[in-house]
Amino acid sequence: MTLCSGVAFNAAAQMSKKEAKEWKKRIKKLQPEQYKRLLDEHKSLKGQVNSLKAEINNVDDRTAEKDQQIATYQQQVSNLREELGQAQAQLKAQNVASNNTGGGIDESRGVVFKVQLGAFRQKDLQQYDTSSNFSAENEDGLQKYTIGVFKDYYQADKFKKYLREMGVKDAWVVSYRDGQRVPTREVLESIR
């Protein structure tokens, strides 16, 4: 019955005259308590509908806010990915440089290899020293210039070959043990 009266209220605007008369008869047959209950239920349902509409509006507002946050976070992720890519590229470049030139290797302990660029009596290149991996030592009146610091002989040899391809024809691998220059043959024999 409640369902019928609810439908009757919603459909009243669209009823024909015949249907309207029939519904009036049905309403007249209702007891006052039933009619009051239907009206109270209708009022309660309207209140629930209004409450749900307000809740939907609230949810829509929160959804819009969350969508905005998501867009902001996506932009931040995009920016961070770009920064990460740049940082990885820089790190890769630094690693290539440090692998090829020995960045961060402690030369005073253990065996290390360097690539000697040349030995000169009259040339002083120390004024052009811009890297910690470029070094010079004075021995027997000769300035000996080296570049790179390697823990592995084969990496040093590969770098030497690369320098020769670039035109440094006198490049060769030299070795140091605990910071002192020693013959490379001696070091290689002790490694094998």
Side-chain angles (χ1 to χ4, degrees):
M1 184 99 157
T2 305
L3 181 60
C4 290
S5 65
V7 171
F9 289 132
N10 289 336
Q14 301 171 357
M15 285 192 227
S16 66
K17 285 186 176 184
K18 185 177 179 183
E19 289 175 323
K21 283 183 181 181
E22 189 177 317
W23 279 103
K24 283 183 183 181
K25 285 179 188 177
R26 285 186 182 180
I27 291 173
K28 284 182 183 179
K29 289 180 184 177
L30 287 175
Q31 297 296 321
E33 296 86 22
Q34 291 174 325
Y35 185 70
K36 182 180 184 312
R37 193 174 14 162
L38 284 175
L39 288 177
D40 290 343
E41 191 175 325
H42 178 71
K43 187 177 180 181
S44 172
L45 290 173
K46 270 188 164 180
Q48 286 179 4
V49 166
N50 288 336
S51 173
L52 291 173
K53 283 181 180 178
E55 195 173 322
I56 287 172
N57 287 338
N58 239 356
V59 169
D60 286 345
D61 290 345
R62 285 186 291 181
T63 302
E65 188 178 302
K66 296 297 180 188
D67 287 344
Q68 181 61 37
Q69 283 181 336
I70 289 171
T72 301
Y73 292 147
Q74 286 174 335
Q75 183 62 42
Q76 288 175 351
V77 166
S78 176
N79 292 345
L80 290 172
R81 281 188 177 143
E82 187 176 317
E83 288 177 28
L84 176 62
Q86 291 171 351
Q88 286 174 334
Q90 287 176 342
L91 182 60
K92 185 176 180 180
Q94 288 174 351
N95 284 343
V96 167
S98 68
N99 284 340
N100 288 339
T101 61
I105 295 176
D106 183 6
E107 300 174 40
S108 65
R109 296 174 60 188
V111 175
V112 295
F113 301 93
K114 297 181 180 185
V115 177
Q116 183 168 315
L117 300 174
F120 308 97
R121 284 197 193 281
Q122 304 293 324
K123 304 291 182 196
D124 184 9
L125 300 177
Q126 285 184 325
Q127 63 182 333
Y128 303 109
D129 181 7
T130 59
S131 169
S132 62
N133 294 317
F134 179 81
S135 60
E137 55 186 85
N138 194 342
E139 185 178 310
D140 301 326
L142 291 174
Q143 273 305 103
K144 297 179 180 182
Y145 296 99
T146 60
I147 187 167
V149 180
F150 303 87
K151 283 289 190 182
D152 181 37
Y153 172 80
Y154 297 101
Q155 282 184 334
D157 191 55
K158 185 177 179 180
F159 186 56
K160 170 200 77 174
K161 290 175 184 174
Y162 181 70
L163 287 173
R164 285 185 178 176
E165 287 175 12
M166 290 174 48
V168 183
K169 304 252 184 263
D170 293 332
W172 59 296
V173 177
V174 294
S175 57
Y176 293 81
R177 181 179 287 130
D178 298 326
Q180 299 298 316
R181 190 170 183 152
V182 293
T184 303
R185 181 178 301 168
E186 178 184 312
V187 172
L188 291 178
E189 286 174 358
S190 69
I191 293 175
R192 292 180 187 167

